[in-house]
């Protein structure tokens, strides 16, 4: 319909902490990581009335927590 939208700035913050085991034994060198993506749970800015946000630029995922463990043999 020709409506123009001013797309607002959009910033997300990610955070993680990790620990790598440095001691003799079976788990030596194992890395443990926990983190969160989109810490503030920011939603993407409104871009138009039909699609809502620009999917090529923004993700509509809210806050996501994750954990991982890595071990090389």
């Amino acid at each position: 319909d020709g409506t123009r939208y001013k797309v607002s700035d959009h910033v997300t913050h990610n955070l993680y902490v990790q620990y790598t085991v440095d001691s003799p034994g079976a788990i030596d060198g194992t890395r443990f990581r926990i983190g969160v993506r989109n810490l503030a749970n920011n939603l993407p800015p409104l871009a138009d009335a039909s699609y809502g946000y620009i999917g090529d630029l923004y993700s509509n995922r809210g806050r996501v927590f994750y954990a991982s463990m890595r071990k090389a043999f």
Side-chain angles (χ1 to χ4, degrees):
D1 69 353
T3 303
R4 293 180 182 240
Y5 288 89
K6 179 179 178 185
V7 179
S8 302
D9 294 342
H10 181 66
V11 177
T12 60
H13 295 87
N14 304 321
L15 176 72
Y16 73 87
V17 293
Q18 72 180 26
Y19 175 74
T20 302
V21 178
D22 184 23
S23 65
I27 64 169
D28 183 47
T30 302
R31 184 191 76 188
F32 298 93
R33 179 183 286 183
I34 58 171
V36 61
R37 292 184 181 103
N38 194 0
L39 185 64
N41 200 25
N42 293 332
L43 296 176
L46 183 65
D48 65 38
S50 300
Y51 300 106
Y53 69 97
I54 303 170
D56 292 341
L57 295 176
Y58 308 115
S59 171
N60 66 347
R61 290 189 184 149
R63 184 180 303 127
V64 176
F65 295 93
Y66 66 93
S68 68
M69 181 178 74
R70 183 175 76 176
K71 171 69 176 166
F73 295 95

